[in-house]
Amino acid sequence: MATTPRAMTDAERWYRERYARTPERDALFTTVSGTSIEPLYTAEDLPDQSEIGFPGEFPYTRGVYPSMYRGRLWTMRQFAGFGTAEETNERFRYLLDHGQTGLSTAFDMPSLMGHDSDHPRSEGEVGREGVAIDTLEDMETLFAGIPMGEVSTSMTINAPAAVMLAFYIVAAERQGVAAEHLAGTIQTDILKEYIAQKEWCLPIDPAMRLVTDMVEFCSRRMPRWHPISISGYHIREAGSTAQQELAFTLKDGFTYVEHALDRGLAVDDFAPRLSFFFNAHIDFFEEIAKYRAARRIWARELRDTYGARDERSLLMRFHSQTAGVSLTAQQPLVNVIRTATEALSAVLGGTQSLHTNSYDEALALPTEEAVRIALRTQQVIAHETGVANTVDPLGGSYFVEALTDRMEAAAYDYFQKIDELGGMVEAIKQSYPQREIADASFRYQQEVDSGQRTVVGVNRYSEGDEEPIPILRIDPGLERKQIDRLQGARARRSADEAEHALDLLRRAAQTQANLMEPIIDCARAGATEGEIVESLQRVFGTYTETPVF
Amino acid sequence: MEAATSAKKIRVVVAKPGLDGHDRGAKIIARALRDAGMEVIYTGLHQTPEQIAETVIQEDADAVGLSILSGAHMTLVPRVVDLLGQQGADDVVITVGGTIPNEDIPELKRLGVAEVFTPGAPTQQIVDFIRASVS
């Protein structure tokens, strides 16, 4: 192989004369995602200054806002929900009384899958991992005494997002608040469901139509609402690498943009309200590089590929959450340190809002004590560590900028592979991202099992018999209570009106019409979540995954 | 070349009962068991106890691993154990994995679960356990 001779760089000289003469300890010098890391980074690794730029200016590598946390700290948004709407409403009001301005709703598994609480598949799962919402009445109870025109609400739900948004709109209508005035975010990111989180109701093509219906409806009717939160979090939790999380999430984002453009929407009419949600995993610098690369890629592609002109369309604003998957059941208090480190990476990476996990979440839903420590972790970072005193303190770091570039290049490699398969929807149908994630997750587990990669308390520094910690128990009686609420609501409505509205929805589903209005009419007529979803399934069918492992 | 009468391959069903979609662990275990030479049938997600019992019987499985991270294990696991018992498959080795609080483990074992593996359990330990329990 012929090589062009060239002068040795200073870094190469240093490596040969100094570093290579000293022994290295026996360890894996790779990130948690498997990227190998050099012993030293220097000025030679820095990209062109224009790739780094300034905060609040293209390409936004250093942050989407000029003043970042000197202007306003990130939002500490802890996600909550359990039992019935009554229990969660009490919790919401407690949080608002204590100064929280935004609410974040966790739904239970049946609600996420579009099943009513009395569906046979719901047994044992009602109100366990979040709040059970079956009806408009449940949504009204959830927000009873809360001014829906004043709070901003985040709802973490995807496959039946259109139904929950309809319940939310009608509940607000009954408080005298028009949809135009509602502020908040609904996750709606169905692509990552097929890729990673696996909560679906419909086949992928009609599910994408429903997402686009919501984007269209919100762009016309709900100027303060974020109709999709494009999420890498669950992709990472399913075992992906940071590079896969970045690439698949961005590609999902581009796919939503393309579908909305195909619908005839103008990019600047909806792109400013697309937001993102990333994982904050344990490999500190790799995570920071991931957020920085994400902002740069999004801004460039929105401007150059999708023709956005409004600067707000270019800004990637994101929520982040520390990595549930990094928590261990062994020595659970050690998870406080993991979470703090992860949260710090999200802050140094320029997050707009953050949820910190509780130390007991490898065992159960968190206790109040554990949730309080998680929130305090963010407060210590914000108010004691000094990291919020300057904008993007790591900008220009040889290592961070080099990693950011590599992260970006890795994302573009994945974009190309996905394009070769015909785009993200096709790639998912061919199980491509699913297989990539399964491979990455298995590779990581092998590193841990072989002891190459240390997990403190799991494969090293473990202790024998540990004292069990107190964990949260959900009262199993809440399931019965919710079923009674649901059956009461069904008894009180006009069955004919509900059936009529469902029939109109089914007819609309057979045309190209936007389904948001018919779904809102079903909500007004008292149809339940399960009835609305089943009506759509009668037209569109359901989805069964071909598992790859 | 033909293999001599080798020992019958261990057949394991890896199942995801309930509604939660957290399948990272189930897939890792499925692959580790397969790599260890076992015949692995992974049911995919969102299985009812009835579907799981049927798969175990139809596949004539020696063992079944149930992965649950939704907190519904005390509802779903007893159902699978009962269904297998009713269908005369009470010799099938049942293991459970996922976010299972320590204090639920004795009750699950009393019901007939052979072992519970919580987050952090090494895959080799699971492979060894199934191999030892089946033979």
Side-chain angles (χ1 to χ4, degrees):
Chain A
M1 216 190 324
T3 53
T4 320
R6 61 181 174 84
M8 207 192 307
T9 66
D10 283 347
E12 283 163 349
R13 180 203 55 76
W14 169 85
Y15 185 85
R16 253 187 233 186
E17 292 177 7
R18 304 284 171 180
Y19 187 81
R21 295 180 182 182
T22 54
E24 276 185 344
R25 72 191 152 83
D26 180 23
L28 205 57
F29 294 106
T30 63
T31 67
V32 75
S33 301
T35 299
S36 61
I37 297 297
E38 299 302 322
L40 187 76
Y41 290 82
T42 67
E44 289 158 24
D45 297 296
L46 288 177
D48 190 85
Q49 173 59 31
S50 66
E51 293 294 304
I52 302 174
F54 285 86
E57 285 184 3
F58 191 86
Y60 306 98
T61 312
R62 304 198 64 186
V64 288
Y65 300 122
S67 62
M68 289 301 291
Y69 308 136
R70 274 181 77 112
R72 197 174 145 254
L73 287 169
W74 64 93
T75 304
M76 300 176 195
R77 195 190 282 277
Q78 300 291 95
F79 174 60
F82 67 99
T84 79
E86 279 180 19
E87 284 75 32
T88 302
N89 173 258
E90 265 175 46
R91 182 82 201 147
F92 278 180
R93 289 206 281 184
Y94 169 89
L95 291 168
L96 291 171
D97 286 347
H98 287 76
Q100 185 165 315
T101 51
L103 296 171
S104 179
T105 317
F107 294 90
D108 70 357
M109 296 302 313
S111 301
L112 295 175
M113 289 291 292
H115 295 315
D116 281 343
S117 294
D118 59 355
H119 188 284
R121 306 293 302 261
S122 302
E123 195 184 342
E125 315 240 21
V126 177
R128 283 207 176 253
E129 281 200 328
V131 60
I133 301 291
D134 292 316
T135 63
L136 171 62
E137 277 189 21
D138 287 337
M139 190 64 88
E140 290 186 82
T141 304
L142 186 63
F143 289 94
I146 297 171
M148 294 174 80
E150 290 167 32
V151 292
S152 99
T153 304
S154 165
M155 290 191 274
T156 301
I157 193 158
N158 296 277
V163 181
M164 282 302 156
L165 181 61
F167 286 164
Y168 192 77
I169 290 168
V170 182
E173 202 171 88
R174 298 204 171 164
Q175 281 193 6
V177 179
E180 284 68 17
H181 298 118
L182 296 175
T185 305
I186 190 159
Q187 199 165 71
T188 323
D189 176 8
I190 198 66
L191 291 172
K192 66 97 172 52
E193 295 296 328
Y194 299 103
I195 295 172
Q197 184 164 247
K198 319 288 173 86
E199 285 147 20
W200 44 61
C201 296
L202 302 173
I204 184 163
D205 293 316
M208 282 301 287
R209 166 189 169 183
L210 202 52
V211 171
T212 311
D213 285 353
M214 284 182 66
V215 172
E216 184 179 29
F217 177 87
C218 291
S219 78
R220 304 214 158 113
R221 297 278 312 280
M222 302 181 76
R224 302 176 65 207
W225 196 265
H226 297 89
I228 319 179
S229 168
I230 306 152
S231 305
Y233 186 81
H234 321 81
I235 292 173
R236 194 68 181 280
E237 289 292 293
S240 85
T241 63
Q243 291 74 14
Q244 290 165 353
E245 179 193 358
L246 174 68
F248 298 161
T249 308
L250 285 164
K251 198 67 181 162
D252 288 349
F254 301 145
T255 306
Y256 295 123
V257 169
E258 287 161 15
H259 276 68
L261 293 175
D262 288 347
R263 187 64 71 89
L265 299 177
V267 66
D268 289 325
D269 284 348
F270 64 87
R273 276 179 313 282
L274 297 176
S275 62
F276 286 81
F277 173 22
F278 288 110
N279 202 298
H281 214 287
I282 195 71
D283 198 298
F284 191 71
F285 290 107
E286 182 169 62
E287 293 302 278
I288 294 166
K290 178 184 75 183
Y291 308 124
R292 303 173 94 251
R295 277 193 292 271
R296 191 152 82 199
I297 298 170
W298 185 252
R300 183 189 305 118
E301 294 300 317
L302 264 282
R303 188 187 71 177
D304 299 345
T305 305
Y306 300 107
R309 290 294 166 265
D310 184 339
E311 195 185 13
R312 294 173 308 149
S313 297
L314 311 183
L315 306 185
M316 166 180 277
R317 279 156 298 215
F318 68 95
H319 174 66
S320 44
Q321 178 173 339
T322 58
V325 72
S326 73
L327 304 182
T328 65
Q330 298 80 359
Q331 304 180 40
L333 284 174
V334 178
N335 291 327
V336 175
I337 293 104
R338 295 191 176 95
T339 298
T341 308
E342 294 165 355
L344 187 58
S345 77
V347 168
L348 292 175
T351 195
Q352 274 58 63
S353 62
L354 175 62
H355 168 105
T356 32
N357 289 328
S358 301
Y359 62 80
D360 53 357
E361 291 190 68
L363 300 166
L365 282 195
T367 60
E368 275 198 12
E369 159 80 6
V371 172
R372 193 162 49 243
I373 289 174
L375 179 60
R376 295 285 179 263
T377 303
Q378 294 199 41
Q379 290 162 340
V380 169
I381 292 172
H383 303 294
E384 295 186 19
T385 63
V387 298
N389 285 340
T390 190
V391 181
D392 189 30
L394 292 178
S397 148
Y398 304 140
F399 180 39
V400 169
E401 297 297 352
L403 266 186
T404 303
D405 284 359
R406 277 178 74 180
M407 194 59 85
E408 183 175 358
Y412 276 95
D413 285 346
Y414 268 120
F415 297 163
Q416 195 187 334
K417 282 183 203 138
I418 294 165
D419 287 339
E420 282 164 11
L421 295 172
M424 196 44 137
V425 170
E426 279 307 312
I428 292 170
K429 288 179 181 170
Q430 295 168 40
S431 300
Y432 172 72
Q434 297 94 312
R435 189 171 292 113
E436 286 291 299
I437 295 169
D439 287 347
S441 125
F442 191 69
R443 202 165 52 234
Y444 172 80
Q445 188 64 40
Q446 284 180 311
E447 288 176 5
V448 174
D449 283 353
S450 67
Q452 279 179 295
R453 190 171 289 285
T454 298
V455 181
V456 172
V458 172
N459 63 359
R460 231 174 140 181
Y461 314 114
S462 52
E463 290 167 11
D465 281 335
E466 292 181 34
E467 271 300 292
I469 58 167
I471 58 158
L472 182 77
R473 291 268 162 193
I474 305 288
D475 173 8
L478 292 174
E479 182 157 324
R480 188 66 247 167
K481 179 180 170 187
Q482 178 59 22
I483 291 173
D484 290 344
R485 286 178 57 89
L486 165 65
Q487 292 175 346
R490 276 208 205 100
R492 279 188 293 278
R493 70 176 184 193
S494 154
D496 287 348
E497 272 177 37
E499 187 39 51
H500 180 63
L502 291 167
D503 186 49
L504 290 179
L505 172 61
R506 286 190 291 269
R507 285 163 197 257
Q510 284 157 356
T511 70
Q512 301 298 308
N514 188 307
L515 296 179
M516 275 313 293
E517 287 291 354
I519 291 173
I520 292 169
D521 288 339
C522 289
R524 286 200 188 98
T528 66
E529 187 204 17
E531 290 166 346
I532 298 171
V533 169
E534 282 165 24
S535 291
L536 293 171
Q537 288 171 334
R538 273 168 62 182
V539 178
F540 296 128
T542 56
Y543 180 76
T544 307
E545 181 188 46
T546 311
V548 287
F549 62 93
Chain B
M1 202 163 34
E2 201 165 301
T5 48
S6 60
K8 179 175 160 277
K9 269 191 174 185
I10 295 175
R11 293 174 68 78
V12 189
V13 170
V14 174
K16 280 289 300 172
L19 300 179
D20 87 81
H22 301 101
D23 60 1
R24 184 180 62 91
K27 286 179 166 186
I28 286 175
I29 302 303
R31 189 150 158 181
L33 296 173
R34 188 179 66 194
D35 288 357
M38 300 184 199
E39 200 77 56
V40 178
I41 303 99
Y42 173 49
T43 62
L45 293 160
H46 311 141
Q47 299 288 299
T48 61
E50 289 74 15
Q51 288 170 317
I52 293 167
E54 196 184 315
T55 305
V56 170
I57 306 242
Q58 272 181 2
E59 296 288 345
D60 192 22
D62 304 297
V64 57
L66 305 170
S67 164
I68 310 178
L69 293 91
S70 72
H73 50 277
M74 297 311 285
T75 306
L76 295 167
V77 174
R79 198 71 59 79
V80 175
V81 175
D82 284 351
L83 286 163
L84 288 176
Q86 284 164 23
Q87 296 175 58
D90 38 16
D91 56 334
V92 173
V93 176
I94 303 171
T95 58
V96 175
T99 47
I100 313 292
N102 279 331
E103 60 215 72
D104 290 346
I105 294 175
E107 176 63 9
L108 290 171
K109 287 192 173 173
R110 197 190 61 74
L111 291 167
V113 170
E115 193 53 271
V116 177
F117 298 98
T118 52
T123 51
Q124 191 59 46
Q125 187 189 333
I126 298 170
V127 169
D128 292 345
F129 180 85
I130 290 181
R131 197 171 274 145
S133 310
V134 166
S135 54

